[in-house]
Amino acid sequence: MTTTLKPDTWIWVIVQDPGGNEQFLGQYDDKQEISFIPAFYEKDVAQQCQGKLITEKGKKYEAQAILFQELAKDAAQHGFAIFMLNADGEILEEISPSVRFS
């Protein structure tokens, strides 16, 4: 799918261990057999969906803003897709890990 996001668009992700050994919270879609990073258009939507995502007990999680281009670069380097989700965790858009910017 071609993304409607621009490289300089700010989006929201859930970060594990903010302020420490930070990393993006990844998920795995059993049906598609693909690892992905959940991302959101708005902070409050990210916070609402956070409880529906699979997390590790004892870890701290926080919604943080990131430029889409930076997230896409990191996701591609690690073989993750990006799924834009709504507050219920439903997929709004799937972005391939090989997305490129001109």
Side-chain angles (χ1 to χ4, degrees), residues 30-51:
D30 290 325
K31 292 178 186 173
Q32 296 185 51
E33 297 183 348
I34 188 170
S35 295
F36 68 96
I37 298 171
F40 309 88
Y41 293 108
E42 298 174 8
K43 182 178 183 178
D44 63 329
V45 173
Q47 292 171 327
Q48 291 172 32
C49 186
Q50 183 175 333

Side-chain angles (χ1 to χ4, degrees), residues 11-30:
I11 58 175
W12 294 87
V13 293
I14 305 300
V15 173
Q16 179 179 306
D17 293 331
N21 185 22
E22 292 184 345
Q23 61 183 13
F24 301 121
L25 176 63
Q27 301 287 284
Y28 185 76
D29 184 323
D30 290 325

Side-chain angles (χ1 to χ4, degrees), residues 3 6-9 11 13 24 37 66-82 95-101:
T3 180
K6 296 180 181 172
D8 62 348
T9 301
I11 58 175
V13 293
F24 301 121
I37 298 171
I66 185 169
L67 286 171
F68 173 63
Q69 181 174 3
E70 295 300 315
L71 179 62
K73 178 181 171 185
D74 191 67
Q77 286 177 344
H78 295 93
F80 280 75
I82 299 169
I95 302 161
S96 165
S98 62
V99 67
R100 301 277 187 253
F101 300 106

